[in-house]
Amino acid sequence: MTSDNTQATPAVRLRRDGAVDEATLAYARTKIDAVIGRSGLPAVTGEVRIVRAAAHADLPWAASADLHIGGRPVTVNAEEASGREVVDQLQARLRRRLDRAAHAWDDGHRTTAPPWRGGAQRSA
């Protein structure tokens, strides 16, 4: 079973496969919104998928995020024994990757050129 849910963040879809309960989905929505909803980030688009596989006894929960932040692709994967653990692990990995991508985005996007390159000088 796959469901689409675009309530939390319109640009980032949250999908589920398998027997993912609503509580885990709501928890994932909250955690993902906390990461991608920070101020200062460029536009974030893409998809996050939560999967619960009955055939895997050790780590039945998996999550993946395929996002684009300011035109840069960011992919994160996680596997754990419970739904909350996989969401927490995905959030931590996603936060680190988005921080790196945002830093790279900031390096290439200045609002004005510095004065030594002909930009406007600030008045004190």
Side-chain angles (χ1 to χ4, degrees):
M1 175 168 103
T2 302
S3 78
D4 259 345
N5 192 328
T6 57
Q7 293 174 345
T9 304
V12 177
R13 293 173 32 188
L14 179 60
R15 298 177 58 145
R16 65 179 170 183
D17 288 340
V20 178
D21 56 303
E22 289 297 323
T24 302
L25 208 56
Y27 184 70
R29 211 175 286 124
T30 303
K31 292 292 195 167
I32 292 164
D33 282 348
V35 174
I36 64 175
R38 297 182 330 211
S39 62
L41 285 180
V44 179
T45 59
E47 178 178 276
V48 175
R49 175 173 278 167
I50 309 288
V51 179
R52 184 173 184 191
H56 298 281
D58 294 339
L59 300 174
W61 290 87
S64 64
D66 294 316
L67 304 176
H68 290 279
I69 173 170
R72 286 178 136 350
V74 173
T75 303
V76 179
N77 296 308
E79 290 183 344
E80 282 297 330
S82 75
R84 281 189 173 259
E85 289 175 357
V86 78
V87 170
D88 290 340
Q89 187 180 59
L90 183 75
Q91 182 196 26
R93 289 179 179 182
L94 193 57
R95 185 179 307 276
R96 284 192 303 269
R97 292 295 309 267
L98 286 180
D99 285 345
R100 277 191 239 143
H103 180 70
W105 184 82
D106 285 342
D107 286 345
H109 291 82
R110 292 184 183 217
T111 56
T112 59
W116 58 88
R117 291 197 178 159
Q121 292 191 10
R122 294 184 189 180
S123 59

